[in-house]
Amino acid sequence: MGIKQSGVDKKYGKYVMCNKRNVAIKKIMEDLKCGKTRAYEIYNALNHGFETLKDNMEINPLTRPEEAVLLLSDIHLGKITPTYNIEVACERLQQIKYSALNIISILKRTYNIPKLHIPLLGDITDGEGIFPGQAYESTDIMTQLFTFGEYLIDIIKDIASTIEVEIIGVPGNHGRVGKHNSKKINWDTVLYKHMKEVLKKSVKQFDIADNFYITKEINGTKHLFVHGSHNIR
């Protein structure tokens, strides 16, 4: 008795039991209803079935490549509350890294995933002049850019050592230098440009929006990436 794959199941790495196995299980169930099957016979039959599955089942990754996406947005590095600050942001980013690597490792057992896209969708930083007094209530922008920036760079290097990484950077409204400054002057963009330079050996492609949006083709489909604040007044 062995395992055979149907046309549909073979495509998705699933398996079905052969007719002989189905017949054997049906016989056990019929005997069980009639009180003819003893407990040890049921145990032996089920144990044999599981051992057969374990010995014969092979999970083969799909041949068609898939691409993973890890969205990061609204980290607000400058924000300080009783439960949040830049240190908490770093801790959470570390947790995200471990979770992402674990999920990718699991999915790679059944899917062909050669690439991970990391869209940074804005408000990663907090400017110092968005509202009155903000500079006195937030982590300073230099700490945001270089303390967290270097930490984020190290995280991405760790991920890029296991899978090809491409990054997309879009500015957010809180990354602006100030409420009355040009929207094109944005600390998110400054952070992205710094990261792009440092990561040029680790990241194959790093696209930075020169507007409030950017389009990117992922696995054959074009996507629109935008922070979503351009209509806020």
Side-chain angles (χ1 to χ4, degrees):
M1 299 180 185
I3 303 296
K4 73 172 184 178
Q5 295 173 268
S6 69
V8 174
D9 285 282
K10 184 176 181 181
K11 179 179 179 182
Y12 293 97
K14 296 179 181 177
Y15 295 81
V16 292
M17 291 189 293
C18 64
N19 290 333
K20 291 182 179 179
R21 174 67 61 197
N22 291 337
V23 170
I25 291 176
K26 185 177 181 181
K27 176 67 165 54
I28 292 173
M29 296 303 295
E30 290 176 349
D31 289 346
L32 182 61
K33 289 179 180 179
C34 298
K36 297 179 180 179
T37 305
R38 298 178 183 178
Y40 75 89
E41 293 175 332
I42 298 174
Y43 170 80
N44 288 336
L46 292 175
N47 187 58
H48 178 68
F50 287 129
E51 289 299 321
T52 302
L53 285 172
K54 183 177 70 174
D55 294 338
N56 291 278
M57 188 166 67
E58 296 178 358
I59 300 178
N60 298 314
L62 294 175
T63 55
R64 186 187 70 178
E66 300 286 347
E67 296 180 15
V69 177
L70 173 62
L71 292 169
L72 294 176
S73 179
D74 293 86
I75 297 176
H76 291 283
L77 291 173
K79 191 76 171 178
I80 298 176
T81 73
T83 58
Y84 186 78
N85 53 43
I86 196 167
E87 288 78 17
V88 173
C90 289
E91 292 174 1
R92 292 179 180 177
L93 189 66
Q94 187 77 3
Q95 294 172 357
I96 289 173
K97 181 193 78 170
Y98 287 131
S99 296
L101 290 175
N102 187 44
I103 291 170
I104 291 172
S105 175
I106 293 172
L107 290 176
K108 275 188 170 183
R109 298 175 188 174
T110 50
Y111 294 92
N112 176 17
I113 306 177
K115 186 183 300 183
L116 171 66
H117 298 270
I118 304 180
L120 302 172
L121 296 185
D123 283 2
I124 308 301
T125 63
D126 270 342
E128 297 181 345
I130 305 301
F131 58 84
Q134 184 179 17
Y136 304 98
E137 300 177 15
S138 305
T139 301
D140 68 273
I141 192 62
M142 298 303 289
T143 300
Q144 294 182 52
L145 290 177
F146 297 106
T147 299
F148 179 84
E150 294 305 315
Y151 193 83
L152 180 57
I153 286 169
D154 289 341
I155 292 290
I156 292 175
K157 283 182 178 179
D158 288 344
I159 296 175
S161 67
T162 65
I163 188 172
E164 180 183 329
V165 172
E166 292 189 6
I167 300 177
I168 303 158
V170 177
N173 57 309
H174 282 263
R176 291 172 59 187
V177 173
K179 186 175 181 180
H180 302 292
N181 296 82
S182 170
K183 292 182 179 180
K184 292 185 178 181
I185 305 175
N186 194 293
W187 291 118
D188 284 339
T189 302
V190 173
L191 174 63
Y192 301 155
K193 288 184 178 292
H194 171 62
M195 292 174 59
K196 182 176 182 178
E197 181 63 25
V198 178
L199 289 168
K200 58 186 178 183
K201 292 184 178 180
S202 302
V203 175
K204 182 178 180 180
Q205 189 168 348
F206 198 133
D207 298 312
I208 301 173
D210 56 7
N211 208 320
F212 65 87
Y213 70 94
I214 191 171
T215 58
K216 173 77 173 181
E217 186 174 294
I218 297 178
N219 209 28
T221 301
K222 183 175 286 189
H223 294 73
L224 172 67
F225 294 96
V226 59
H227 180 68
S229 62
H230 57 285
N231 286 325
I232 294 178
R233 294 292 183 267

